[in-house]
Amino acid sequence: AQTVTQSQPEMSVQEAETVTLSCTYDTSESNYYLFWYKQPPSRQMILVIRQEAYKQQNATENRFSVNFQKAAKSFSLKISDSQLGDTAMYFCASYNQGGKLIFGQGTELSVKP
Amino acid sequence: NAGVTQTPKFRILKIGQSMTLQCTQDMNHNYMYWYRQDPGMGLKLIYYSVGAGITDKGEVPNGYNVSRSTTEDFPLRLELAAPSQTSVYFCASRGQVNTEAFFGQGTRLTVV
């Protein structure tokens, strides 16, 4: 079965500091893809970063980076130099070759001034 | 490009009524998805399609039906609305492997 689990319903961080959001997943596929999406109060879904499972190198996009631990099926998101505009719900997601795209429960991140 | 367009944006239904949520994409994407998002929760996959004529159940398909007669359109049908179907519904589409999913703006549905 394909599952995605986020165990942190809420997190907060001071502006300019670093925060890490956790995600674990399970899949029987050997080739799959992982994503972090951001959902601000506008409800718009915005891609933050993606990782291909066959790539060993962790993905990085500016202030956002992932720690991909394939054996542990862990895919955490690190946000450096947090900004007020980073306040949002963050969703971890995975899809496999069968095409099914599954999301975790979400982590509500608050960046405090 | 319009991207993914959902209609309507808001709707109030009475228990037992039926309706169709429309979803259209103009990016020639093969993959399309329907999700529901309850307040403070994640997105639950209702149905998805990997191409015209092909649909499959997701995590929460009960009470819903879909069809995919064209690449562009992926309507979601609620036959007998129930209060438990009160939610925000998102449609999404995706192209080839490793590309991001593009989302519509959502439909807020209330069943009373």
Side-chain angles (χ1 to χ4, degrees):
Chain A
Q2 182 183 358
T3 62
V4 177
T5 303
Q6 294 177 249
S7 57
Q8 304 157 311
E10 298 177 352
M11 293 195 72
S12 65
V13 63
Q14 292 295 128
E15 194 175 7
E17 294 190 345
T18 297
V19 64
T20 299
L21 309 183
S22 301
C23 173
T24 58
Y25 64 92
D26 195 10
T27 178
S28 57
E29 302 272 332
S30 58
N31 195 17
Y32 52 91
Y33 304 84
L34 300 167
F35 304 84
W36 278 98
Y37 279 86
K38 169 184 176 181
Q39 187 183 45
S42 66
R43 290 200 322 232
Q44 181 185 6
M45 293 291 286
I46 302 166
L47 178 69
V48 174
I49 199 165
R50 76 188 90 194
Q51 174 80 42
E52 298 162 54
Y54 66 87
K55 287 189 176 179
Q56 294 185 338
Q57 186 173 4
N58 289 326
T60 298
E61 289 285 344
N62 300 315
R63 298 183 294 109
F64 300 89
S65 61
V66 300
N67 183 5
F68 175 45
Q69 301 289 327
K70 191 170 183 178
K73 295 185 176 177
S74 170
F75 183 61
S76 60
L77 174 70
K78 185 171 83 170
I79 306 175
S80 304
D81 186 24
S82 297
Q83 300 176 359
L84 296 178
D86 295 333
T87 293
M89 282 287 283
Y90 286 81
F91 294 102
C92 179
S94 80
Y95 78 73
N96 56 26
Q97 295 292 75
K100 188 182 290 188
L101 177 60
I102 298 293
F103 286 79
Q105 304 92 322
T107 296
E108 185 171 6
L109 177 67
S110 296
V111 180
K112 301 185 183 304
Chain B
N1 273 347
V4 179
T5 303
Q6 288 182 237
T7 55
K9 292 182 180 172
F10 304 93
R11 183 71 185 268
I12 298 175
L13 276 183
K14 294 184 178 180
I15 295 171
Q17 286 185 323
S18 300
M19 77 163 294
T20 299
L21 280 65
Q22 301 291 344
C23 177
T24 300
Q25 53 92 8
D26 61 0
M27 297 172 282
N28 200 33
H29 284 169
N30 290 330
Y31 298 88
M32 295 189 75
Y33 306 87
W34 272 108
Y35 297 91
R36 60 175 287 172
Q37 184 179 26
D38 297 332
M41 303 294 285
L43 281 75
K44 290 291 188 183
L45 181 63
I46 304 172
Y47 272 95
Y48 68 106
S49 170
V50 301
I54 306 170
T55 62
D56 208 347
K57 295 179 180 179
E59 301 167 286
V60 290
N62 292 344
Y64 307 94
N65 279 299
V66 294
S67 60
R68 185 92 182 272
S69 56
T70 66
T71 299
E72 296 78 19
D73 301 309
F74 190 42
L76 177 71
R77 179 82 177 161
L78 283 72
E79 290 293 347
L80 291 171
S84 61
Q85 293 177 306
T86 293
S87 191
V88 178
Y89 292 83
F90 287 97
C91 178
S93 73
R94 180 174 62 81
Q96 296 303 313
V97 164
N98 197 31
T99 63
E100 66 180 284
F102 292 84
F103 285 80
Q105 69 270 53
T107 296
R108 183 178 293 278
L109 176 67
T110 302
V111 182
V112 296

